[in-house]
Amino acid sequence: MKNWPPCATRCPNRAPLPPADCYDDACAQALEQRKQDVLNLEAASDGLERDPLLLALEELRAQEAVDARIRQLLAYGREFYGSRPYGLEELARAAGYSFSGVRTAYGETEIRQVAVQIGREPNRSRRNTAREVR
């Protein structure tokens, strides 16, 4: 089996460190997951005759499209939906965000994209968000 670096990016060690008595087991589990990811990517690439790195990049690009769509749907729910916008907590629960994360997840770009898609302007004037101030 190849030592394929992108597997580490598919299963990064970003979680808090486990207790000392569990550390070796957690490291072994992470390593095993990375090895399984390598095998899965190689198997997928063999069937498609594609390079595993290119497949991983395409997968990440698809994920970015999903993230963009979530931001657009949040903008729709807050800025365009009915006479009252969806509540922050309701949208946060459905999208897996915090309620403050919903407030900052979208900005003018997503609002313009939704307006073009549905052919109308938002229901209310837009106040500045953290994304617009950056």
Side-chain angles (χ1 to χ4, degrees), residues 70-71 73-75 77-78 85-106:
I70 289 171
R71 290 191 306 274
L73 288 170
L74 292 172
R78 291 294 294 164
Y86 274 91
L88 292 171
E89 289 183 18
E90 185 176 12
L91 290 174
R93 205 172 20 260
Y97 284 48
S98 66
F99 73 90
S100 62
V102 170
R103 189 186 321 258
T104 61
Y106 68 92

Side-chain angles (χ1 to χ4, degrees), residues 2 9 16 35 37 42-43 45 51 53 57 96 104 106 110 132:
K2 300 178 220 173
T9 63
K35 288 178 182 177
D37 281 348
E42 287 176 345
S45 68
D51 181 89
L53 175 63
L57 289 171
T104 61
Y106 68 92
E110 289 80 14
E132 295 158 6

Side-chain angles (χ1 to χ4, degrees), residues 38-86:
V38 169
L39 291 173
N40 291 343
L41 283 169
E42 287 176 345
S45 68
D46 288 345
L48 298 173
E49 298 181 8
R50 297 287 312 269
D51 181 89
L53 175 63
L54 299 178
L55 284 174
L57 289 171
E58 289 170 0
E59 183 180 303
L60 290 173
R61 191 178 73 219
Q63 181 62 43
E64 287 176 12
V66 170
D67 292 341
R69 186 67 180 137
I70 289 171
R71 290 191 306 274
Q72 290 171 354
L73 288 170
L74 292 172
Y76 174 79
R78 291 294 294 164
E79 306 296 332
F80 295 87
Y81 180 77
S83 60
R84 288 189 48 183
Y86 274 91

